[in-house]
């Protein structure tokens, strides 16, 4: 069997379907969108799609790590709502003392990051230290955060002080050279995430833990710590997404972030990360997020199919993506 | 010989561009036990899977009762009375023994499951293999050997005309092997055609009527078992004369420093009061029956499972080992007996597997992939690992997986190495390579502990042997006392007073 020690392949070979599949789908969607509506490729529409993708996208990058390490987090949507509510409450409360200005904004950001970190830490500790299933823990915390934000808002809406809202609007709407902040932050998160996943020991360890935790334990990897860090990372990224989200509407209510968790998970799966863990790719997740937002955008721009069917089309895409994944397993 | 039930004629099989079977002929006749031998990677497993319908052949004919046939699935094979028992059991772990025996062909009465009948029959089949397993037990609670018996009971329930067993004795104790052999004899008398593989040539000589030997995807020998010696079998398998299987023992240099000093090591439920000294350049064997707590004691030593007590000194310095990383920091490495579940990430290719444990040596801020590739090149060369570096390692043969695992452990540069069943389920040629490698490591000044259930292996390899029984240390044998007889006495707890005195635990203080 020594003849099977193949040298690395030279020349161009077509990458496998799991790699080109999502990319191809994205290209097809762009071509379809452009041919149906001339405004599709306009700067305004592209900026709009990318900026709206940023919230889910930033969260989905974190979700990629959690799922790759064999976990799951259903709480991110309500966590985002809770963090947003908390951020608004703290900023409003500190307004009389600090006044409108950079210190107040920094305080709000700090609160959001800290709250996200704590929420992720709590999920992670319950899962790793108490050994409760990730599905159960995050189903529980999903309900808790959703109910907390409803309670904080007393069933209504938490709104940022009107002047304050005007002051922080640029965080969502402004940017550098026409590229808005959410897109810039999203891009940075993706680039760092991709490097961490594919080029650092932590990314390798996350995949190893998701692939087989016994092997990882025997290899001297602290399985619990790797898992915990993925949940904390995800919590922090939820905090970052919230910082970008709050300036957009300046409010939070019980309907903020509803179904974000499922969209994020769907994007991760469409991107080719394996749901049961062991293999993940951040760039794939980005493609997944863009596919989901483009479907939404195209349906809204054209009258081809009712926008109400958005969910159905996204559902079909998710199932197709998983079928592609299965093809990968069968061929290897 | 009677007309064969099942025959292969010129069977070829390719995976992608690589042909692994080059025209195999094989005849399985009723009432005949046929042994299929060969090194790992010789193509035995593939040939068996083709016989049972698990894989299609790329070319050639399968003849059933002399008529050409095609199996499209294991179900086709089963319908024709061909049952295969896998090395890794194909039992549903969460179901009961009875549910497993009747899985896929449950008995019904008026549309509902006939549980009473199935339970009665299950008991009957289990009784035929002398198994005391209760049909209501959940399979995941059974030991490996009990699972093996359930597999055979399951095959009995299917009225197998042809029974194919992939290394049936690899996980059995010697008593269970006897039960298995008795069952095989009964099946032979009943006219069943039986094919099995084994790396234990004495078993083959004892059980088989006919022997077929494969090498590199071709049949190199086929004939009656009584016309070939064990030595002849080994020679045909490796394609060269077998020199001595075990490397010579130079003996531990007098005054060699104690590298590892263990006192009163206890692992809850598994081991109590283990203590020994391990010298530089020494290979210490760890013997005992399956379930004696050898693996658990060593896992406790290496921080893989919690231990309640025990002091460990490395080079005279007391060390606290609570996690695997602590042991690695002391360059104390454990090589698991379970390479598939605890050793390798089967879904990943060679490179991440090789460097997983020593990843920090390859990582600044980022992983240096070029350095990883160089390490893999080196490992493939040093350990003679064969197979594609891009496929998932789950597709490598057992021997190559074991070599990769060894390479992975060695990348952590251990000074003390604990190897657990280093040659289980691998062929004799690779075994010899591994023995030579371990002895060379010892000669280079490493200290090694070898856990093994094969007494010959321990006697051939180890300088001293510590024997455990039911979690306790029964004694440490050395020099003249290294014999199967004395090991068995200690392992079974039947040592008389004299032997006990000679072999009293060397460490009590």
């Amino acid at each position: 069997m020594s003849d099977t020690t193949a040298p690395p392949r030279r020349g161009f070979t077509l990458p496998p379907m799991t790699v080109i599949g999502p990319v191809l789908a994205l290209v097809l969607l762009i071509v379809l969108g452009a041919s149906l509506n001339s405004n599709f490729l306009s700067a305004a529409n592209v900026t709009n799609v990318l900026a709206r993708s940023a919230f889910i996208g930033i969260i989905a990058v974190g979700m990629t790590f959690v799922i790759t390490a064999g976990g799951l987090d259903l709480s991110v949507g309500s966590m985002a709502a809770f963090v947003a509510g908390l951020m608004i409450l703290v900023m409003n409360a500190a307004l009389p003392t600090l006044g409108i200005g950079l210190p107040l904004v920094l305080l709000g950001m700090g609160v959001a990051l800290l709250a996200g970190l704590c929420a992720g830490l709590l999920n992670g500790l319950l899962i790793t230290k108490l050994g409760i299933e990730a599905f159960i823990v995050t189903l529980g915390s999903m309900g808790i955060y959703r109910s907390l934000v409803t309670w904080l808002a007393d069933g209504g809406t938490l709104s940022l002080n009107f002047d304050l809202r005007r002051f922080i609007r640029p965080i969502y709407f402004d940017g550098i050279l026409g590229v808005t902040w959410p897109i810039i932050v999203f891009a940075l998160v993706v680039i760092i995430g991709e490097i961490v996943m594919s080029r650092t020991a932590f990314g390798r360890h996350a995949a190893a833990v998701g692939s087989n935790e016994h092997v990882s334990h025997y290899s001297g990897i602290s399985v619990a710590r790797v898992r915990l860090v993925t949940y904390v990372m995800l919590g922090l990224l939820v905090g970052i997404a919230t910082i970008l989200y709050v300036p957009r509407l300046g409010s939070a209510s019980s309907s903020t972030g509803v179904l974000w968790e499922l969209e994020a998970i769907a994007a991760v799966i469409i991107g080719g990360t394996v749901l049961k863990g062991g293999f993940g790719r951040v760039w794939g997740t980005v493609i997944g997020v863009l596919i989901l937002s483009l479907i939404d955008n195209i349906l809204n721009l054209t009258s081809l199919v009712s926008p109400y069917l958005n969910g159905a089309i996204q559902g079909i895409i998710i199932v197709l993506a998983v079928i592609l994944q299965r093809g990968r397993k069968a061929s290897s | 010989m009677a007309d064969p039930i099942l025959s292969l004629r010129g069977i070829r099989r390719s995976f992608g561009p690589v042909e692994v079977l080059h025209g195999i002929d094989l005849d399985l006749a009723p009432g005949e036990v046929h042994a299929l031998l060969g090194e790992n990677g010789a193509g035995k497993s593939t040939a068996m899977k083709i016989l049972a319908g698990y894989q299609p052949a790329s070319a050639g004919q399968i003849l059933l009762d002399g008529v050409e046939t095609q199996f499209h699935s294991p179900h086709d094979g089963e319908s024709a009375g061909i049952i295969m028992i896998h090395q890794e059991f194909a039992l549903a772990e969460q179901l009961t023994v009875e549910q497993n025996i009747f899985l896929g062909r449950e008995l019904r009465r008026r549309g509902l499951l006939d549980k009473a009948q199935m339970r009665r029959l299950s008991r009957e089949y289990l009784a035929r293999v002398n198994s005391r397993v209760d049909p209501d037990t959940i399979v995941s609670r059974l030991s490996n050997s009990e699972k093996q018996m359930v597999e055979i009971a399951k095959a009995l329930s299917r009225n197998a005309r042809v029974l194919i067993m992939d290394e049936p004795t690899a996980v059995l104790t010697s008593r269970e092997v006897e039960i298995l052999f008795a069952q095989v004899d009964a099946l032979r008398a009943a006219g069943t055609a039986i094919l099995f593989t084994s790396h234990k040539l004495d078993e083959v000589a004892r059980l088989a009527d006919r022997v077929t030997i494969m090498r590199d995807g071709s049949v190199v020998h086929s004939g009656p078992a009584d016309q070939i010696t064990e030595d002849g079998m080994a020679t045909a398998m490796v394609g060269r004369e077998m020199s001595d299987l075990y490397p010579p023992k130079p003996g531990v240099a007098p005054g060699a420093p104690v590298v590892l000093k263990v006192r009163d090591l206890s692992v809850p439920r598994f081991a109590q009061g283990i203590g020994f000294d391990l010298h530089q350049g020494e290979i210490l064997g760890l013997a005992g029956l399956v379930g004696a707590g050898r693996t658990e004691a060593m896992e406790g030593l290496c921080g893989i499972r919690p231990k309640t007590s025990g002091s460990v000194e490395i080079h005279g310095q007391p060390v606290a080992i609570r996690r695997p990383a602590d042991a690695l920091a002391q360059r104390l490495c454990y090589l698991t007996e379970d390479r598939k579940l605890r050793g390798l990430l089967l879904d990943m290719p060679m490179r991440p597997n090789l460097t997983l444990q020593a990843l920090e040596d390859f990582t600044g801020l980022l992983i240096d992939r070029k350095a990883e590739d160089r390490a893999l090149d080196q490992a493939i060369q040093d350990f003679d690992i064969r197979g594609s570096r891009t496929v998932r390692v789950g597709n490598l043969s057992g021997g190559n997986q074991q070599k990769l695992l060894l390479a992975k452990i060695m990348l952590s540069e251990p000074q003390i190495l604990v190897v657990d069943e280093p040659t289980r389920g691998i062929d004799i040629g690779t075994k010899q390579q591994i023995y030579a490698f371990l002895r060379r490591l010892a000669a280079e000044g490493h200290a090694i502990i070898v856990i093994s259930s094969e007494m010959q292996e321990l006697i051939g390899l180890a300088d001293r042997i510590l024997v455990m029984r039911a979690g306790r240390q029964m004694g440490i044998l050395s020099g003249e006392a290294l014999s199967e007889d004395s090991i068995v006495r200690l392992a079974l707890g039947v040592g008389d007073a004299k032997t006990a005195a000679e072999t009293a635990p060397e460490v009590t203080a």
Side-chain angles (χ1 to χ4, degrees):
Chain A
M1 299 255 294
S2 53
D3 51 347
T4 55
T5 315
R9 286 199 190 161
R10 305 215 171 267
F12 181 79
T13 47
L14 206 60
M17 198 55 199
T18 51
V19 176
I20 45 175
V23 179
L24 212 61
L26 183 64
V27 171
L28 281 177
L29 276 174
I30 292 172
V31 171
L32 183 75
S35 63
L36 288 174
N37 190 313
S38 54
N39 276 334
F40 180 75
L41 288 179
S42 68
N45 189 51
V46 170
T47 300
N48 178 34
V49 168
L50 287 177
R52 280 160 166 268
S53 306
F55 313 128
I56 301 284
I58 290 168
I59 294 172
V61 169
M63 189 69 81
T64 309
F65 283 90
V66 168
I67 291 180
T68 300
L72 192 69
D73 193 337
L74 296 172
S75 70
V76 290
S78 43
M79 190 194 291
F82 172 67
V83 172
L86 208 60
M87 182 176 161
I88 289 169
L89 276 181
V90 170
M91 285 174 82
N92 279 345
L95 181 60
T97 37
L98 288 178
I100 292 179
L102 195 60
L104 184 59
V105 176
L106 289 178
L107 173 72
M109 290 179 170
V111 166
L113 290 178
L114 189 68
L117 185 137
C118 290
L121 192 67
L122 187 69
N123 277 341
L125 285 176
L126 286 172
I127 291 163
T128 56
K129 295 291 170 203
L130 295 187
I132 311 174
E133 295 250 8
F135 187 94
I136 307 291
V137 168
T138 59
L139 190 67
S141 52
M142 173 170 96
I144 292 170
Y145 297 135
R146 181 64 64 199
S147 144
L148 280 179
V149 73
T150 313
W151 175 67
L152 286 178
D154 204 13
T157 301
L158 287 166
S159 293
L160 209 54
N161 171 285
F162 187 76
D163 295 325
L164 189 54
R165 202 187 303 183
R166 233 184 14 209
F167 183 74
I168 66 168
R169 259 176 67 89
I171 296 179
Y172 180 78
F173 292 97
D174 280 7
I176 308 172
L177 301 171
V179 185
T180 60
W181 288 114
I183 301 176
I184 294 169
V185 174
F186 182 27
L188 283 176
V189 165
V190 166
I191 291 167
I192 294 170
E194 174 66 30
I195 290 173
V196 170
M197 178 66 89
S198 64
R199 299 298 306 275
T200 67
F202 174 73
R204 183 75 66 79
H205 285 171
V209 166
S211 178
N212 186 328
E213 58 180 288
H214 296 298
V215 173
S216 304
H217 177 61
Y218 276 71
S219 302
I221 298 171
S222 172
V223 173
R225 205 181 63 206
V226 170
R227 289 227 161 100
L228 183 65
V229 171
T230 62
Y231 287 101
V232 172
M233 252 176 72
L234 177 54
L236 265 178
L237 288 170
V238 168
I240 292 174
T242 310
I243 290 172
L244 297 167
Y245 175 81
V246 166
R248 181 168 163 237
L249 297 176
S251 65
S253 71
S254 61
S255 59
T256 299
V258 168
L259 291 185
W260 279 14
E261 61 282 338
L262 294 189
E263 273 197 54
I265 293 169
V268 171
I269 302 308
I270 291 172
T273 295
V274 177
L275 183 57
K276 68 176 175 57
F279 175 80
R281 51 185 190 206
V282 170
W283 66 263
T285 298
V286 177
I287 297 209
V289 170
L290 293 179
I291 286 177
L292 290 179
S293 335
L294 280 185
I295 293 172
D296 186 40
N297 184 244
I298 290 172
L299 293 185
N300 279 321
L301 284 180
T302 65
S303 51
L304 205 60
V305 185
S306 161
Y308 296 131
L309 283 175
N310 184 3
I313 294 177
Q314 292 187 346
I316 292 169
I317 300 274
I318 293 166
V319 175
L320 277 180
V322 175
I323 292 173
L324 274 177
Q325 268 193 22
R326 202 175 47 179
R328 185 176 86 104
K329 280 207 103 175
S331 67
S332 65
Chain B
M1 127 182 172
D3 286 340
I5 301 178
L6 189 63
S7 305
L8 297 182
R9 286 284 171 272
I11 289 290
R12 293 173 181 276
R13 170 74 185 165
S14 303
F15 293 101
V18 184
E19 190 176 83
V20 296
L21 290 184
H22 319 294
I24 300 293
D25 294 337
L26 194 66
D27 290 304
L28 303 183
E32 193 175 80
V33 176
H34 199 134
L36 184 60
L37 305 181
E39 298 192 79
N40 288 314
K44 294 170 308 206
S45 295
T46 311
M48 286 193 294
K49 283 176 185 163
I50 289 172
L51 275 170
Y54 283 83
Q55 284 181 3
S58 306
Q61 292 177 309
I62 302 172
L63 304 178
L64 182 65
D65 296 316
V67 181
E68 183 173 358
T69 184
Q70 282 193 336
F71 297 138
H72 298 289
S73 70
H75 188 76
D76 288 356
E78 232 179 87
S79 317
I82 301 160
I83 310 288
M84 176 160 175
I85 298 179
H86 295 265
Q87 199 177 345
E88 285 88 29
F89 303 119
L91 296 172
E93 294 269 326
Q94 300 306 322
L95 298 185
T96 65
V97 170
E98 172 210 315
Q99 285 166 336
N100 265 289
I101 288 177
F102 285 95
L103 194 64
R105 39 189 288 285
E106 291 79 2
L107 303 180
R108 293 190 186 82
R109 244 165 67 117
R110 300 193 204 99
L112 298 177
L113 290 178
D114 187 353
K115 289 195 180 170
Q117 175 74 350
M118 286 195 284
R119 188 158 310 162
R120 195 182 62 71
L121 286 173
S122 296
R123 279 189 207 287
E124 195 182 306
Y125 297 132
L126 288 166
R128 275 173 68 187
V129 288
N130 290 344
S131 171
R132 293 190 180 177
V133 173
D134 180 8
D136 287 332
T137 317
I138 304 286
V139 164
S140 62
R141 297 186 177 203
L142 301 181
S143 69
N144 274 339
S145 52
E146 287 170 328
K147 287 180 189 172
Q148 179 75 273
M149 291 303 160
V150 171
E151 281 275 19
I152 293 169
K154 186 174 162 185
L156 289 176
S157 79
R158 287 167 200 220
N159 295 320
R161 292 179 71 206
V162 178
L163 182 63
I164 299 170
M165 296 185 283
D166 194 358
E167 288 203 41
T169 59
V171 296
L172 299 189
T173 64
S174 53
R175 192 178 60 83
E176 291 160 337
V177 167
E178 289 306 318
I179 297 171
L180 174 72
F181 284 5
Q183 199 53 46
V184 168
D185 283 335
L187 287 170
R188 165 165 41 198
T192 311
I194 295 163
L195 179 75
F196 77 102
T197 61
S198 176
H199 287 299
K200 297 173 186 163
L201 299 182
D202 52 334
E203 289 177 7
V204 172
R206 173 156 162 221
L207 202 59
D209 302 310
R210 181 166 282 274
V211 177
T212 294
I213 300 171
M214 293 179 65
R215 188 170 72 228
D216 295 334
S218 303
V219 171
V220 292
H221 171 92
S222 190
D226 50 17
Q227 289 176 18
I228 184 167
T229 61
E230 289 181 35
D231 212 41
M233 294 181 210
T235 307
M237 277 165 62
V238 296
R240 56 187 142 85
E241 289 294 325
M242 291 295 299
S243 52
D244 272 344
L245 189 54
Y246 301 102
K249 292 184 202 173
V252 178
V258 173
V259 180
L260 175 69
K261 183 170 163 185
V262 176
R263 292 292 180 275
D264 192 30
L265 173 71
S266 294
V267 174
R269 292 193 294 129
F270 290 107
Q272 298 93 39
I274 307 299
F276 58 88
D277 288 347
L278 182 65
H279 302 85
Q280 187 171 1
E282 181 180 36
I283 298 182
L284 174 69
L286 199 45
L289 300 178
V290 172
R294 297 166 299 170
T295 293
E296 290 79 4
M298 289 303 109
E299 288 185 348
L301 173 66
C302 297
I304 293 166
R305 60 172 75 225
K307 55 178 180 288
T308 42
S309 70
S311 71
V312 177
E313 285 180 19
I314 292 179
H315 285 303
Q317 298 294 320
V319 292
I321 297 174
R322 294 191 191 83
R323 295 173 299 136
D326 297 339
L328 288 176
Q330 299 293 336
R331 292 166 62 203
L332 164 61
C333 288
Y334 170 79
L335 187 140
T336 174
E337 62 179 324
D338 192 343
R339 58 180 169 258
K340 284 173 188 288
L341 291 182
R342 294 177 184 155
L344 296 173
L345 298 169
L346 298 181
D347 284 329
M348 293 196 187
M350 285 188 192
R351 189 178 67 185
N353 268 295
L354 177 70
T355 58
L356 187 63
Q357 187 166 291
L359 197 54
E360 62 191 34
D361 297 342
F362 294 88
T363 313
L365 187 59
L366 302 179
I367 297 174
D368 183 349
R369 292 191 200 159
K370 290 212 178 77
E372 281 190 292
D373 278 328
R374 281 195 299 275
L376 181 56
D377 288 338
Q378 192 65 42
I380 286 173
Q381 192 188 340
D382 290 352
F383 292 87
D384 186 26
I385 304 169
R386 300 170 194 183
S388 162
R389 54 170 75 196
T390 53
V391 301
R392 53 192 291 275
V393 300
N395 288 358
L396 297 178
S397 72
N400 284 316
Q401 286 177 353
Q402 188 70 7
K403 290 187 213 169
L404 177 63
L405 184 56
L406 203 52
K408 165 186 166 177
I409 301 296
M410 291 316 295
L411 216 48
S412 298
E413 298 180 347
Q415 56 169 341
I416 305 165
L417 182 61
V418 182
V419 291
D420 198 347
E421 301 286 1
T423 63
R424 174 182 287 171
I426 66 179
D427 61 79
I428 200 154
T430 309
K431 274 185 187 178
Q432 193 181 19
Q433 284 178 315
I434 288 177
Y435 297 145
F437 175 76
L438 290 176
R439 183 45 79 183
R440 197 165 68 238
L441 273 185
E444 285 167 4
H446 297 77
I448 299 172
I449 298 174
V450 178
I451 305 176
S452 176
S453 297
E454 285 186 44
M455 277 181 284
Q456 279 305 333
E457 178 169 290
L458 287 180
I459 293 167
L461 195 60
D463 298 303
R464 291 184 301 151
I465 297 178
L466 189 160
V467 186
M468 283 180 70
R469 174 174 174 269
R472 296 190 180 275
Q473 178 171 339
M474 303 303 288
I476 296 181
L477 302 167
S478 60
E480 294 296 307
L482 285 186
S483 70
E484 280 200 45
D485 184 59
S486 44
I487 295 175
V488 168
R489 281 169 176 276
L490 287 178
L492 295 177
V494 295
D496 51 43
K498 180 168 164 290
T499 337
E502 276 174 11
T503 59
E506 87 176 12
V507 181
T508 44

